[in-house]
Amino acid sequence: MKAAVMRAPNAPLSIEDVTISKPGPREVLVRLKAVGVCHSDVHFWDGNFPAELPVILGHESAGIVEEVGSMVSAVKPGDHVISILSPFCGTCEYCLTGHMSVCHTVNKDQFQRQPTEAPRLAIKGEKVGQFLNLSSFAEQILVHENALCAVDKDMPMDKACLIGCGVITGVGSVFHSAKVEPGSTVAVLGCGGVGLAAINGAAIAGASRIIAVDLSDEKLQMAVRFGATDTVNPGKVNAIEAVKELTKGGVHYSFECVGLKQTAEQAYHMLRPRGVATVIGMISPGVNIEIPGIELLATEKRLQGAIMGSNRFRVDFPRLIELYRQGKLHLDDLVSDRIGLDGITGALQNLKDNKGTVARQVVVFDQ
Ligand SMILES: [Zn+2]
Ligand SMILES: [Zn+2]
């Protein structure tokens, strides 16, 4: 099968023939139909986060099951599926208490092949790294069954794939991590794919005021389409003061969707007492966030993290698809461009350059 292979940081991905293994007992072979290009891919492509090279990036995908292993029960050939980078084991403390989104961070060996086994991906006998146990910039993926959710066959694949990372991360953080209440006030820092999904989620949750914060006026315009009631451009005004003024003292909930020390600290400082700031952005290893310790005591403000929207994806994905059908989840507006495998390098560069008009660029494969 063909895949876009990363052989060096910041270099163009090369389209190569890759050998994909046969499904092991709990593995599933999926022919991909669509994959979104996410900012997290950029963080590995530009070398900011370490990757084992050569590697196939990509992790926001949807496709059709081709073949399943002998023990697979969750899906069958012909099923339409959305993948996720946070598979769950189903037996650990986190899974059994409903926090399966962190299972893969502590139990990851269960979801990949061991060094003694044949690799899932190889080029001329040389092992190719499987990014986040998925590697979706490819025609096919071979993954653990607990990294997949079957969905209705009438759901368009180029919209479905977005649910698997950016949308669940943004919407899930609002619903599950912060538990935004109807009538409350929300600020979202960063209006890329994840930030727009958080804004959309806050609107669905019934927030009365949703303040979008971004340096790009184009992205702020887009944010309004997703439900933002107010916009703040920190290049023009002090974001913390502007948010505090709009909400008479600060928001109940803020979401950091950029991945920087400065925006994480801003997210905290624009809270009212008892407010909750949720960091969703990927903050580079070695970067620390500083907040005044006494404020934790004096104001009961909270700073928390969330991975993959604290999802329970086999419950969440069908629900999100229903919200899309009802016109509440704006997946159509998220897709800014459709490209082929050979367009991924350009798409990564667009995200890195922070092009204001880019929400999600989606690779679509021939039907
Ligand atoms: Zn992603
Ligand atoms: Zn688990």
Side-chain angles (χ1 to χ4, degrees), residues 38-41 59-60 85 132 165-166 169 194 308 360:
C38 173
H39 218 111
S40 312
D41 296 309
H59 61 278
E60 194 178 74
L85 64 85
L132 303 173
C165 180
T169 297
V194 168
M308 295 303 292
R360 264 301 191 263

Side-chain angles (χ1 to χ4, degrees), residues 89-90 92 95 103 107:
C89 74
C92 75
C95 287
C103 172
N107 298 316

Side-chain angles (χ1 to χ4, degrees), residues 16-303:
E16 301 187 33
D17 278 315
V18 177
T19 307
I20 192 161
S21 188
K22 288 277 177 195
R26 295 202 66 192
E27 291 177 341
V28 179
L29 182 68
V30 180
R31 181 158 295 274
L32 293 185
K33 292 294 176 188
V35 50
V37 182
C38 173
H39 218 111
S40 312
D41 296 309
V42 180
H43 291 311
F44 288 86
W45 177 60
D46 69 10
N48 216 359
F49 282 74
E52 163 198 14
L53 299 175
V55 68
I56 299 168
L57 298 175
H59 61 278
E60 194 178 74
S61 50
I64 300 176
V65 173
E66 276 194 342
E67 204 179 327
V68 299
S70 57
M71 305 274 288
V72 169
S73 59
V75 296
K76 58 184 184 309
D79 278 355
H80 289 206
V81 291
I82 300 175
S83 66
I84 195 155
L85 64 85
S86 59
F88 66 97
C89 74
T91 56
C92 75
E93 172 189 336
Y94 303 100
C95 287
L96 294 178
T97 53
H99 305 290
M100 48 197 272
S101 60
V102 285
C103 172
H104 74 292
T105 65
V106 285
N107 298 316
K108 57 176 167 243
D109 280 358
Q110 302 193 20
F111 308 113
Q112 55 204 23
R113 288 196 175 170
Q114 301 312 301
T116 50
E117 299 175 281
R120 285 178 178 157
L121 301 165
I123 296 174
K124 298 191 179 108
E126 175 201 16
K127 184 189 174 194
V128 175
Q130 189 178 32
F131 180 58
L132 303 173
N133 299 316
L134 293 172
S135 281
S136 300
F137 291 159
E139 292 175 331
Q140 289 172 306
I141 55 172
L142 180 62
V143 299
H144 191 281
E145 65 170 318
N146 285 0
L148 296 172
C149 174
V151 297
D152 287 350
K153 290 184 180 173
D154 59 2
M155 180 66 193
M157 291 282 189
D158 60 338
K159 317 296 181 337
C161 69
L162 305 176
I163 291 175
C165 180
V167 170
I168 189 61
T169 297
V171 176
S173 300
V174 170
F175 292 175
H176 305 317
S177 320
K179 298 188 166 63
V180 168
E181 294 167 29
S184 61
T185 53
V186 170
V188 175
L189 295 87
C191 299
V194 168
L196 292 173
I199 288 166
N200 199 165
I204 294 169
S208 63
R209 216 62 191 268
I210 304 168
I211 305 165
V213 183
D214 201 289
L215 285 164
S216 154
D217 284 332
E218 286 159 308
K219 285 194 177 167
L220 290 175
Q221 276 171 22
M222 212 157 15
V224 171
R225 294 217 302 272
F226 283 80
T229 58
D230 304 88
T231 60
V232 168
N233 185 330
K236 298 174 184 169
V237 294
N238 180 309
I240 297 168
E241 282 171 16
V243 169
K244 283 192 161 176
E245 201 177 304
L246 283 165
T247 53
K248 299 190 176 70
V251 286
H252 296 93
Y253 302 98
S254 61
F255 296 88
E256 198 279 344
C257 310
V258 184
L260 295 174
K261 168 186 169 67
Q262 188 192 9
T263 40
E265 291 168 0
Q266 282 174 351
Y268 178 81
H269 287 300
M270 57 179 63
L271 295 174
R272 65 174 57 217
R274 296 277 305 151
V276 181
T278 305
V279 174
I280 321 175
M282 282 177 70
I283 296 178
S284 296
V287 174
N288 294 330
I289 299 169
E290 290 172 88
I291 53 170
I294 188 64
E295 281 192 26
L296 295 169
L297 176 89
T299 66
E300 295 195 3
K301 292 198 286 189
R302 282 179 285 160
L303 178 67

